[in-house]
Amino acid sequence: MAARKNSAPKLGDVLLVTGAETFLADRAVRSAIAAVSKGSVDVEVTDVVAADLDVGVFAELTGPSLFATERVLVLRALENLPAEMVPHLLEYAGAPADDVLVVLVHSGGQKGKAVLDKLRKASVNEVVATAPKTWELPQFVLGEVRLLGGSIDERAATALVDAVGHDLRALAGACSQLVSDSDGQPVNQDLIGQYFGGRAEVTSFAVADAAIAGRTEPALEQLRWALDCGVAAVLVTSAMAGGLRGLAKYTSAPSGLREADLAREVGVPPWKLKTLKQQARGWTAGGLATAIKAVAQADADVKGASGDAGYALERMVITVSRAHGRR
């Protein structure tokens, strides 16, 4: 999730936005611009790519304005900043102009990490745009709906994730549509079913649930349907891995924990424990190990180790479903 360090951005700041989740990074940039503009049409926003920056352009964009306008400079792909520009950027970060907000966007990878470290030592504000884990997506939906002025419970939030998938832009768009059309009522599973019911049955989660339950034929049917409907192979392996990981944590958790503590130990909302309890029946440590190994192999296959992703997924589904009940 996007996390902010220090105070909200203002003119005279240098804001660092890091992380590979482009939806959250873009949102952080828009929020920063909105924070300093406050609806004013006089704020001048310039959006440039770091690779195209030179000393002259940077000085022009951050130097005194002839028209005394307040400005925002968004510098994207900071990891591609030319080496000769690094000292100039660091010098500016140490003494930024009072009438400019500079937003530096970095993908969060290793490239350009030295620049990030130096900027952090200069005490610039930072927003970290990290994609939520699979099991955190319902919490993202909860927060998104509340941000839009609506309400939704955890079960409905999970149903929306099951229906729409993992893409944050798609989830945010779905939340906006549902809140807009809910007439002030809580967003519930019935409303989600009206909009996304056809998609919910072909998600990667449906494939994983059927396979983990040991239902080979239904799992294969769901898989073929999902692939025909354009569900990405990596989403199927991700859902399967997430389901088995949660199951493994549940079965290995210390006994006697209170529900809230057990949910925290496993990393799921409390209501999900009932589902895990049902899924755990028939699973042994040996069976889980076999299933997890099969998913790891399938994940490697669909990412390039095999030329036939469909076959790799079918083999994974069969292996996982048959591992149910195996000692």
Side-chain angles (χ1 to χ4, degrees):
M1 298 286 191
R4 183 182 301 280
K5 300 178 181 179
N6 301 325
S7 58
K10 61 184 184 301
L11 293 172
D13 282 351
V14 176
L15 176 66
L16 183 61
V17 179
T18 60
E21 178 44 66
T22 56
F23 171 75
L24 296 179
D26 289 344
R27 171 173 284 183
V29 173
R30 293 195 303 271
S31 296
I33 294 172
V36 299
S37 64
K38 299 177 182 177
S40 172
V41 295
D42 295 331
V43 175
E44 177 184 321
V45 179
T46 305
D47 201 313
V48 298
V49 178
D52 297 336
L53 203 63
D54 60 33
V55 176
V57 171
F58 185 63
E60 180 182 349
L61 294 174
T62 57
S65 171
L66 294 175
F67 304 100
T69 58
E70 297 172 333
R71 293 163 291 159
V72 177
L73 170 61
V74 181
L75 191 61
R76 297 189 185 271
L78 184 64
E79 61 271 21
N80 297 322
L81 184 72
E84 63 271 17
M85 282 301 305
V86 173
H88 298 280
L89 179 61
L90 295 175
E91 180 181 5
Y92 178 85
D98 292 337
D99 60 347
V100 182
L101 168 65
V102 175
V103 183
L104 308 172
V105 185
H106 188 283
S107 68
Q110 289 299 309
K111 187 176 181 182
K113 186 175 181 299
V115 178
L116 291 184
D117 292 340
K118 291 176 181 177
L119 286 168
R120 286 165 179 150
K121 288 181 179 178
S123 299
V124 302
N125 286 353
E126 181 175 3
V127 173
V128 182
T130 304
K133 305 294 184 183
T134 301
W135 58 87
E136 295 174 329
L137 288 172
Q139 291 299 316
F140 170 80
V141 170
L142 284 168
E144 196 70 18
V145 170
R146 289 167 184 164
L147 186 66
L148 293 164
S151 62
I152 187 172
D153 62 26
E154 289 190 357
R155 288 181 182 275
T158 301
L160 184 59
V161 173
D162 288 348
V164 175
H166 296 187
D167 184 79
L168 295 191
R169 291 184 192 277
L171 282 171
C175 290
S176 178
Q177 182 178 22
L178 290 167
V179 171
S180 176
D181 294 348
S182 65
D183 295 325
Q185 299 298 311
V187 174
N188 56 36
Q189 290 177 271
D190 288 340
L191 184 62
I192 292 168
Q194 291 175 25
Y195 281 85
F196 305 105
R199 296 176 61 181
E201 295 179 355
V202 297
T203 62
S204 49
F205 294 100
V207 180
D209 287 345
I212 290 173
R215 301 166 58 230
T216 306
E217 289 305 319
L220 288 172
E221 290 176 6
Q222 293 281 7
L223 173 64
R224 290 163 189 147
W225 193 8
L227 294 178
D228 287 344
C229 291
V231 175
V234 292
L235 293 182
V236 179
T237 56
S238 175
M240 192 77 78
L244 290 171
R245 185 165 50 242
L247 196 57
K249 288 183 178 179
Y250 177 81
T251 56
S252 62
S255 60
L257 291 177
R258 295 182 303 172
E259 183 179 84
D261 294 332
L262 179 58
R264 193 176 303 109
E265 177 78 16
V266 179
V268 298
W271 65 264
K272 185 77 171 179
L273 294 176
K274 183 177 179 180
T275 301
L276 288 173
K277 183 178 180 179
Q278 294 173 340
Q279 289 180 334
R281 294 168 185 163
W283 278 101
T284 64
L288 277 172
T290 298
I292 290 171
K293 182 178 179 181
V295 175
Q297 180 61 56
D299 190 58
D301 288 342
V302 301
K303 290 177 180 176
S306 171
D308 190 339
Y311 172 74
L313 292 176
E314 287 189 0
R315 182 175 58 190
M316 173 191 72
V317 165
I318 292 171
T319 303
V320 170
S321 61
R322 290 180 178 175
H324 180 266
R326 183 180 299 173
R327 295 188 177 278

